[in-house]
């Protein structure tokens, strides 16, 4: 319920949208002239009622508390979670690291950085949350054969800096062909592809039907097809089927350059 109090004033001056009002004991206050009754001039006497609406005060305080609780629940009760990474694929000279979709709560992603053996690498990383959660993987290259490395990811956000778990991996020796993973392009026949898949099984390697980060080689006899174009864009070595046969015959990984598809 509103509590009101009335007071009487004499208009002492009207200027630039403001009125100077005088009380009976000559106290001076400024009052917006737009709130005065129409026709008021210098010397007019006006009565002003001032009221306090406690019901509205309580309602506004309640709305403000609800807004604070909503802000706390939305932005203050949850923090970004550190990235959770794992080893996706290993070869002789590179590896694929994968991570779960990033959970930033209400924070903003500032940057992602890859660390190898405690040193920050100049590794291109996703720059937005959408990109990071769409890719969920990165290929790190330039590794030495048969060496052990430790990796972790630093995630910088508007709510602070978070480090992932640390994963350890050992790159393969040259005679370990289990890291070979190929994608087939256009060959002479399906029978040839089936024969090459049997070769992959014998040496412990694998294949996929589409080009991805984990592909080590693209095997084909002809420079045709969308898969070939994808391999070209991804800078994946494109080799003839003879490369695969040479790997089996020699019992170790063979240089792709000798079998490059011309």
């Amino acid at each position: 319920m509103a509590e009101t109090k009335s007071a009487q004033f004499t208009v002492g001056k009207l200027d630039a949208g403001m009125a100077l009002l005088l009380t009976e004991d000559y106290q001076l206050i400024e009052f917006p002239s737009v709130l005065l009754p129409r026709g008021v001039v210098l010397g007019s006497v006006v009565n002003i009622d001032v009221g306090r609406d406690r019901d509205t005060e309580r309602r506004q305080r309640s709305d403000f508390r609800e807004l604070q609780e909503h802000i706390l629940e939305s932005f203050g009760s949850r923090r970004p979670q550190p990235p959770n990474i794992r080893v996706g694929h290993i070869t002789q000279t590179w590896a694929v690291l994968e991570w779960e979709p990033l959970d930033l709560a209400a924070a903003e992603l500032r940057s992602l950085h890859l660390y190898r053996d405690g040193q920050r690498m100049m590794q291109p990383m996703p720059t937005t949350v959408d990109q990071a959660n769409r890719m969920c993987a990165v290929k790190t290259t330039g590794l030495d054969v048969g060496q052990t490395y430790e990796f972790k990811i630093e995630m910088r956000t508007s709510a602070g800096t978070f480090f992932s778990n640390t994963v350890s991996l050992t790159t393969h020796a040259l005679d370990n062909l289990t890291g070979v993973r190929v994608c087939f392009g256009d060959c002479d026949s399906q029978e040839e592809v089936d024969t090459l898949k049997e070769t992959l099984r014998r040496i412990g390697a694998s294949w996929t039907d589409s080009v991805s980060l984990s592909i080590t080689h693209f095997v084909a006899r002809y420079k045709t097809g969308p898969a070939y174009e994808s391999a070209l864009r991804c800078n994946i070595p494109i080799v003839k089927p003879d490369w695969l046969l040479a790997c089996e015959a020699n019992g170790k990984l063979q240089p792709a350059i000798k079998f490059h598809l011309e």
Side-chain angles (χ1 to χ4, degrees):
M1 180 180 295
E3 302 173 0
T4 61
K5 183 177 181 181
S6 181
Q8 192 175 78
F9 299 90
T10 301
V11 178
K13 184 179 181 181
L14 292 170
D15 182 35
M18 296 298 296
L20 297 181
L21 306 181
L22 295 173
T23 64
E24 293 179 352
D25 53 357
Y26 302 107
Q27 295 185 20
L28 182 67
I29 67 169
E30 292 185 347
F31 195 80
S33 59
V34 71
L35 299 180
L36 294 175
R38 184 174 298 178
V40 168
V41 296
L42 186 65
S44 296
V45 177
V46 295
N47 291 323
I48 298 177
D49 294 330
V50 180
R52 181 179 182 182
D53 193 338
R54 295 186 180 273
D55 292 338
T56 300
E57 286 181 11
R58 284 191 290 268
R59 186 174 64 254
Q60 289 179 345
R61 282 196 295 267
S62 177
D63 292 344
F64 183 67
R65 282 195 297 269
E66 290 180 2
L67 176 61
Q68 286 183 310
E69 291 173 358
H70 176 70
I71 293 174
L72 177 62
E73 181 180 356
S74 300
F75 300 98
S77 60
R78 292 184 61 245
R79 288 174 55 81
Q81 298 301 307
N84 182 23
I85 68 173
R86 60 181 179 269
V87 178
H89 193 70
I90 306 174
T91 69
Q92 281 75 9
T93 57
W94 57 261
V96 173
L97 301 174
E98 302 174 345
W99 57 81
E100 301 294 331
L102 302 180
D103 180 7
L104 270 69
E108 296 179 356
L109 179 65
R110 297 285 171 79
S111 60
L112 289 173
H113 304 285
L114 181 66
Y115 282 73
R116 184 177 75 189
D117 294 337
Q119 298 295 318
R120 178 174 162 182
M121 302 177 62
M122 300 302 293
Q123 170 77 42
M125 297 288 286
T127 56
T128 66
V129 176
D130 290 340
Q131 188 181 24
N133 289 344
R134 185 174 64 253
M135 296 174 58
C136 286
V138 64
K139 178 190 285 187
T140 176
T141 60
L143 307 181
D144 294 329
V145 176
Q147 296 296 314
T148 299
Y149 300 92
E150 289 187 344
F151 290 92
K152 64 181 177 181
I153 287 179
E154 177 190 37
M155 180 177 73
R156 296 183 180 181
T157 74
S158 57
T161 299
F162 303 84
F163 283 93
S164 73
N165 56 306
T166 299
V167 296
S168 178
L169 63 88
T170 301
T171 54
H172 293 172
L174 290 178
D175 59 356
N176 183 348
L177 299 176
T178 58
V180 173
R181 181 174 294 171
V182 308
C183 179
F184 290 104
D186 291 338
C187 295
D188 285 336
S189 65
Q190 183 59 43
E191 288 75 12
E192 181 182 30
V193 173
D194 293 339
T195 300
L196 294 173
K197 288 180 179 180
E198 288 298 326
T199 302
L200 289 170
R201 292 190 184 97
R202 288 195 298 270
I203 64 176
S206 60
W207 72 87
T208 66
D209 295 328
S210 59
V211 175
S212 66
L213 278 180
S214 62
I215 295 297
T216 61
H217 298 80
F218 185 82
V219 179
R221 289 200 182 276
Y222 307 102
K223 297 181 178 181
T224 56
Y228 169 80
E229 298 296 334
S230 297
L232 208 58
R233 286 194 300 270
C234 295
N235 201 28
I236 295 173
I238 301 174
V239 295
K240 302 173 185 177
D242 299 342
W243 169 82
L244 198 52
L245 302 178
C247 288
E248 181 183 30
N250 291 275
K252 63 180 181 179
L253 190 68
Q254 297 299 297
I257 192 170
K258 294 181 180 180
F259 303 90
H260 182 69
L261 181 62
E262 300 295 340

